[in-house]
Amino acid sequence: MNDTPAPAFQIRPIVPTEYAREAELVHAAYAAGPYREELAHDSVWAATERDSAGRAAAGQILVAVEGDTLIGAVTVLRGESSYAKLATTGEVELRLLAVAPASQGSGLGGALIRAGVELALRWGAAAVRLDTGVKNPAAALYERIGFERTPERDAQLDGMSYGASVSYVYPLQERTDLRLREIRAAEIPEVSDLVLAAYREDYEGLPGDYLSEIANVAERAAQHQVWVAEDTESGALLGTITTPRPGAVLSDVAREGEMDLRLLGVSHAARGRGIGSLIMRHGLRLARIRGIGRVVLNTSTEMVAAYEMYDRMGFARLPEREFEITRPDGTGFTLLAYGIDVAA
């Protein structure tokens, strides 16, 4: 099940002409909140609230728009930013979540937080941090999305004029030696060679049109999301996978409320380091961030290493979505379908 709302709004990066409106929105949202009296006398908060341009330069501001109306925003800060209170270098912090009073209760706040966490994942951040005042009801939202309490960090929030606050973290990376992030434009040729070599090495007799599709990373990156596994010490790219953009699918195997994965590839030199299963869990993490309950994929009876890994990870066959494919020479194979509940 997908627990995100069917949006009548669009979430996207802010443009400079919207800075003033974003600052007004933030002011209106917090002026209607439980800390309105305390924040009214906080000069540091007021300066932060007004400085949309500075916050955008320190990371990115995501805004929610309905038609021409700006109805929500969240600031996504890189850890080295002066506006970050909790995040350190390599981490991301979410601040100034704001929903227009008329749009509160619509699920927009959760959608903005999920979008901010996904942006941090695309950047390759180690974790996302945020805090909230103890009187703020948003704490339940953060915990429902998957944020974990970090009481050991609460002391960093002492001295704020609006009273006690609590801190949270959303871990994004499992290992320190590897980083999962979105591909960069300059890396497209290298990733094309990597994934094509991986498929040629593992699977004999792949048709030429399928090999061309595998190698066409540029088109996939333009239409979907291509991710890479990067060695954090050397910077070498060791693996890749493709996921759909939010609200889209990659193939016919996906049904409503599901997300599909395609074209997992691991370089020969990186085999045996658990990178394939790590990349697959990255796909599950992305689905969880989006609030999607099931991940699905196709493979074939000839891709033994792949489906054996899916079996080990707990994926289950979906026979009703499978079918036979016959080649021009009369040989054939079964296009297998697998799925897994993200909560599992």
Side-chain angles (χ1 to χ4, degrees), residues 168-189:
Y168 288 87
V169 68
Y170 197 119
L172 295 179
Q173 306 289 338
E174 293 183 31
R175 291 165 53 172
T176 58
D177 61 325
L178 294 168
R179 177 187 300 113
L180 276 294
R181 59 168 174 79
E182 196 167 19
I183 194 172
R184 297 165 185 156
E187 297 166 338
I188 286 174

Side-chain angles (χ1 to χ4, degrees), residues 93-318:
E93 185 164 338
L94 302 186
R95 291 198 63 194
L96 282 80
L97 171 67
V99 175
S103 298
Q104 292 178 5
S106 65
L108 177 55
L112 284 163
I113 291 295
R114 292 183 188 279
V117 175
E118 181 168 339
L119 178 59
L121 189 71
R122 290 168 55 197
W123 288 349
V128 178
R129 297 191 183 273
L130 57 76
D131 74 276
T132 187
V134 294
K135 293 192 295 183
N136 195 329
L141 167 66
Y142 303 146
E143 292 174 9
R144 186 166 66 249
I145 288 173
F147 280 84
E148 305 165 5
R149 277 280 288 117
T150 52
E152 71 281 1
R153 292 290 195 105
D154 292 354
Q156 294 178 234
L157 305 169
D158 289 348
M160 293 184 176
S161 62
Y162 52 87
S165 292
V166 292
S167 60
Y168 288 87
V169 68
Y170 197 119
L172 295 179
Q173 306 289 338
E174 293 183 31
R175 291 165 53 172
T176 58
D177 61 325
L178 294 168
R179 177 187 300 113
L180 276 294
R181 59 168 174 79
E182 196 167 19
I183 194 172
R184 297 165 185 156
E187 297 166 338
I188 286 174
E190 179 181 354
V191 175
S192 177
D193 291 344
L194 183 158
V195 68
L196 186 59
Y199 273 76
R200 279 177 165 160
E201 179 178 352
D202 289 344
Y203 315 116
E204 295 181 1
L206 292 176
D209 56 348
Y210 187 47
L211 290 173
S212 296
E213 180 184 356
I214 291 169
N216 196 354
V217 174
E219 183 175 317
R220 290 202 298 281
Q223 297 180 356
H224 309 296
Q225 291 175 322
V226 177
W227 302 86
V228 295
E230 176 187 36
D231 187 293
T232 54
E233 182 174 350
S234 68
L237 303 184
L238 306 179
T240 182
I241 199 167
T242 299
T243 64
R245 295 191 184 278
V249 296
L250 297 170
S251 65
D252 293 339
V253 72
R255 305 288 188 265
E256 184 177 356
E258 297 177 342
M259 188 184 86
D260 50 347
L261 307 176
R262 287 201 67 205
L263 298 170
L264 168 69
V266 177
S267 72
H268 177 79
R271 302 291 172 93
R273 293 178 58 181
I275 293 174
S277 57
L278 179 73
I279 294 174
M280 290 298 298
R281 290 194 298 276
H282 172 82
L284 302 186
R285 182 173 297 107
L286 176 62
R288 192 175 298 114
I289 289 168
R290 292 181 180 175
I292 295 173
R294 177 183 265 194
V295 167
V296 296
L297 54 84
N298 283 127
T299 187
S300 84
T301 46
E302 297 179 333
M303 297 180 172
V304 179
Y307 70 67
E308 286 182 345
M309 180 180 69
Y310 305 145
D311 289 337
R312 290 194 302 271
M313 293 184 67
F315 280 79
R317 289 273 298 276
L318 303 171

Side-chain angles (χ1 to χ4, degrees), residues 80-104:
E80 57 270 22
S81 162
S82 60
Y83 279 126
K85 297 184 291 182
L86 293 164
T88 58
T89 299
E91 298 179 336
V92 161
E93 185 164 338
L94 302 186
R95 291 198 63 194
L96 282 80
L97 171 67
V99 175
S103 298
Q104 292 178 5

